[in-house]
């Protein structure tokens, strides 16, 4: 069983109905998130030899054997396919990969699966915009069967979660919630999120962030969907809201955790099925 999760955003996507629509989607979501990436050569994005930087990570008891023993597989729990593909195609119009399937197959090279370096077997795509990006269905439908995942995705298991980011909370409404509920019924949907609180950027008023979070939690709990939670500089409120609105045994992933050890300890002590994602800057990837 996979034992290591990490939250790096991988650059992948498939051209859907038009390259223009995806580039627009990228621009909209990244501008709202306030992210600005420095220029890097395309070659730096491609793992030509699999994932050699993971080879030194102890991913579980099985990885402690002789060098010939492959390490446990890795699950990428947080991948924004639409926006990262838009970024990739915008930055590299003559780039090597033209479709999401090309990119995933190229990024997670088959030979990496039989080497001693770590390898990714599953990825979880994250939709967190409001209004909901309609592309989610075409992407998810392309991974419905094992045959599709073997031929189109190179054997990588595609999953997704969907919700509304706290930055977008001010745009949440009944129509957005209806679209989220529809997407949550798809067989490749494994959870809801990312949702939460972000008191660092305050792109949406805090009261609205709290109310939208509670509303999404009610939907997720009602559907028995695991949660992907985003929290930044909102320790007291996120702990209180989760405790008051989520059953103690619910499955929760706190992604990209950058807050205090005290909050992590309180969350882990209260929720036995809660996991905390630590990003590359903390583990030296």
């Amino acid at each position: 069983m996979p034992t290591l999760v990490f939250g790096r955003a991988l650059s992948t996507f498939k051209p859907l109905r038009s390259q223009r629509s995806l580039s627009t989607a990228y621009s909209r979501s990244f501008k709202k998130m306030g992210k600005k990436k420095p220029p890097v050569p395309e070659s730096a994005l491609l793992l030509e030899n699999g994932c050699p930087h993971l080879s030194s990570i102890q991913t579980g008891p099985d990885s402690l054997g002789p060098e010939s023993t492959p390490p446990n597989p890795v699950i990428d729990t947080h991948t924004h396919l639409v926006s990262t593909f838009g970024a990739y195609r915008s930055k590299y119009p003559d780039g090597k990969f033209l479709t999401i399937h090309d990119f995933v197959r190229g990024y997670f090279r088959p030979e990496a699966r039989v080497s001693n370096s770590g390898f990714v077997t599953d990825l979880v795509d994250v939709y967190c915009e409001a209004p909901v990006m309609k592309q989610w269905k075409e992407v998810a439908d392309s991974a419905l069967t094992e045959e599709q995942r073997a031929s189109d995705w190179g054997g990588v298991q595609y999953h997704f979660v969907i919700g509304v980011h706290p930055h977008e909370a001010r745009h949440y409404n009944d129509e957005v919630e209806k679209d989220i509920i529809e997407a949550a019924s798809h067989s490749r949907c494994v959870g809801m999120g990312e949702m939460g609180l972000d008191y660092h950027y305050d792109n949406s008023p805090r009261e609205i962030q709290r109310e939208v979070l509670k509303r999404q939690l009610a939907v997720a709990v009602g559907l028995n969907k695991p949660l992907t939670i985003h929290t930044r500089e909102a320790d007291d409120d996120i702990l209180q809201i989760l405790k008051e609105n989520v059953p103690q045994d619910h499955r929760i992933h706190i992604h990209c955790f950058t807050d205090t050890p005290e909050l992590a300890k309180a969350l882990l002590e209260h929720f036995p099925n809660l996991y905390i994602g630590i990003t590359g800057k903390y583990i030296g990837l």
Side-chain angles (χ1 to χ4, degrees), residues 55-253:
S55 60
S56 62
I57 296 177
Q58 305 259 331
T59 59
D62 295 341
S63 66
L64 301 179
E67 287 188 7
S68 60
T69 302
N72 288 342
V74 173
I75 298 174
D76 185 337
T77 63
H78 209 83
T79 299
H80 295 275
L81 294 182
V82 172
S83 56
T84 51
F85 175 77
Y88 171 76
R89 294 304 305 170
S90 175
K91 184 66 179 177
Y92 309 106
D94 299 318
K96 182 176 181 180
F97 300 111
L98 301 179
T99 73
I100 183 174
H101 303 122
D102 290 343
F103 206 112
V104 170
R105 289 194 305 266
Y107 202 98
F108 305 119
R109 295 173 65 95
E111 52 265 38
R113 299 173 184 278
V114 294
S115 73
N116 286 334
S117 61
F119 60 96
V120 175
T121 60
D122 297 67
L123 61 84
V124 181
D125 190 5
V126 180
Y127 292 91
C128 57
E129 298 79 17
V132 171
M133 284 188 179
K134 301 301 183 182
Q135 292 95 331
W136 72 264
K137 191 174 189 308
E138 188 172 349
V139 180
D141 283 351
S142 77
L144 276 172
T145 68
E146 195 63 48
E147 290 78 10
Q148 285 175 301
R149 296 191 292 277
S151 62
D152 295 342
W153 295 85
V156 175
Q157 298 298 305
Y158 174 87
H159 318 273
F160 75 95
V161 298
I162 191 163
V164 171
H165 194 283
H167 289 349
E168 307 269 282
R170 67 191 185 278
H171 302 299
Y172 194 91
N173 55 36
D174 291 345
E175 187 65 26
V176 169
E177 186 169 288
K178 179 182 175 182
D179 288 345
I180 289 172
I181 292 172
E182 176 190 352
S185 68
H186 196 282
S187 62
R188 304 312 296 172
C189 182
V190 294
M192 290 185 59
E194 62 188 282
M195 64 183 76
L197 302 174
D198 193 311
Y199 289 178
H200 178 80
Y201 290 106
D202 280 329
N203 285 2
S204 288
R206 293 184 181 185
E207 182 58 34
I208 292 177
Q209 290 188 50
R210 290 189 288 267
E211 291 308 310
V212 167
L213 173 58
K214 292 174 187 177
R215 187 166 169 177
Q216 292 187 87
L217 290 175
V219 172
V221 170
L223 296 174
N224 195 29
K225 286 289 188 181
L227 300 168
T228 295
I229 298 296
H230 171 107
T231 181
R232 184 180 286 130
E233 299 177 18
D235 293 18
D236 292 341
D237 284 351
I238 197 69
L239 183 60
Q240 179 181 347
I241 289 172
L242 289 177
K243 283 184 174 182
E244 291 177 353
N245 294 273
V246 180
Q248 195 166 358
D249 62 349
H250 204 81
R251 293 163 293 172
I252 304 172
H253 170 216

Side-chain angles (χ1 to χ4, degrees), residues 235 239 254 257 259-270 274 276 278:
D235 293 18
L239 183 60
I254 309 291
F257 186 80
D259 286 312
T260 65
E262 290 76 18
L263 175 60
K265 184 173 185 291
L267 288 166
L268 290 166
E269 287 180 346
H270 185 81
L274 181 144
I276 293 179
I278 307 297

